[in-house]
Amino acid sequence: MIRVFIVDDHPVVIEGIHSLLQNEKDMAWMGQAMNAASCLGFFVNNTADVVLMDISMPGMDGVELCAVMKEKYPGIMILGLSSFNQGLYIKKMVENGASGYILKNSSKEELIKAIHAVHEGFIYFSGEVGMALQEYQKSEKNDLPSLTSREKEVLELIAEGYTNPQIAEKIFLSPFTVDSHRKNLLAKLGVKNTASLIRLAVEKKLI
C-alpha cells in the first residue's frame, strides 16, 4: 500500500487529486496540508511514502520544503506537482531531493504512474517536464565561456591536485604562464578560488 500525502495551497487541487486516487486499491490517502508549516506539523507524528508537493505556496515554498523534508525524513519520496514548467524550478526541486516532477495538467494515468515510479525508487518526469529540463540544462551549458584546449588541460590538472610548478613541468610551460592560465580560468568562469573553480567545472561537466 502506497501512503500518499499532498501539500498544495489550492483546495480544489487537493480535492481533485484526492478524487483521482481514492479508488486506487494500492494507495492510501494520508492527508493534506496547505502550507509548509502544516506539512511539517503533520509529519511530527505521522508518515507517508510519497508526498505530492506544489512549488508556489505562501511562506516557505515547495523548493525549500522539499530540502527540509528530505533532510528530516530521507525515506519519504517527494514528487513535485506544479503548474510551473520552467527548467530552473525543476532543477532546484531535484537538487533538493525530489524524485520526480509532473505538471498539474497531467492525466490520472500519468499521476498514478509517477507515484508508483518514485515509490519504487525511480526518477520520474512527465514528457513536457523532461524536455523543459533538457532545454534549461542546454542553455546553462551554452552560457559558459569557451575554454581553449590549453585552458582545459590546465583545468584538468588543477582538478587532479597539481600545483602550478608541477603543471608547468608536466606540460612544458613556465610557472608564470600556468599562473596566468589559472587566473584566466577564474575570471572566465566567474569564481574566486580554486575550490569554487573545481566545483563549477565538475557541475558543468567541463572536466
Side-chain angles (χ1 to χ4, degrees):
M1 187 66 70
I2 305 173
R3 297 167 295 177
V4 180
F5 186 86
I6 185 169
V7 193
D8 195 293
D9 63 334
H10 293 96
V12 68
V13 172
I14 293 173
E15 289 167 15
I17 300 295
H18 188 193
S19 67
L20 288 177
L21 300 181
Q22 64 183 353
N23 293 322
E24 294 302 306
K25 293 178 182 177
D26 62 348
M27 292 186 190
W29 184 263
M30 300 305 294
Q32 67 274 338
M34 294 184 66
N35 54 54
S38 296
C39 174
L40 294 171
F42 173 88
F43 282 97
V44 171
N45 297 310
N46 303 279
T47 192
D49 299 308
V50 177
V51 175
L52 306 177
M53 190 172 291
D54 190 15
I55 289 181
S56 178
M57 293 185 290
M60 184 189 293
D61 65 19
V63 174
E64 295 175 87
L65 178 58
C66 183
V68 173
M69 285 289 293
K70 289 303 288 186
E71 184 178 351
K72 286 178 173 287
Y73 314 105
I76 294 175
M77 300 299 142
I78 308 289
L79 177 62
L81 178 68
S82 178
S83 55
F84 294 142
N85 194 25
Q86 284 82 28
L88 177 61
Y89 289 114
I90 302 163
K91 182 187 175 202
K92 283 184 174 180
M93 283 294 283
V94 173
E95 286 176 343
N96 282 357
S99 296
Y101 192 110
I102 65 172
L103 300 179
K104 287 183 177 178
N105 63 2
S106 297
S107 65
K108 175 184 177 180
E109 290 72 23
E110 181 150 57
L111 173 63
I112 291 168
K113 185 178 177 184
I115 292 171
H116 277 113
V118 299
H119 180 248
E120 290 165 18
F122 297 103
I123 300 292
Y124 188 94
F125 297 127
S126 58
E128 289 177 69
V129 167
M131 287 193 295
L133 184 58
Q134 281 183 345
E135 286 300 313
Y136 179 76
Q137 289 172 331
K138 199 183 298 180
S139 70
E140 262 196 324
K141 199 165 186 180
N142 291 341
D143 285 343
L144 290 172
S146 59
L147 303 180
T148 65
S149 58
R150 182 63 88 183
E151 284 171 341
K152 286 179 183 174
E153 188 177 16
V154 170
L155 179 58
E156 285 174 2
L157 292 170
I158 290 171
E160 288 172 23
Y162 288 98
T163 63
N164 283 0
Q166 288 171 330
I167 294 172
E169 186 178 346
K170 200 167 183 65
I171 57 178
F172 309 106
L173 293 176
S174 71
F176 175 80
T177 303
V178 172
D179 187 54
S180 295
H181 280 310
R182 185 187 287 264
K183 286 175 180 172
N184 283 342
L185 285 165
L186 292 172
K188 269 190 175 185
L189 297 174
V191 292
K192 294 181 179 178
N193 53 52
T194 302
S196 298
L197 176 67
I198 295 169
R199 187 163 55 249
L200 182 66
V202 171
E203 283 176 6
K204 304 297 182 184
K205 298 188 170 126
L206 296 173
I207 52 176

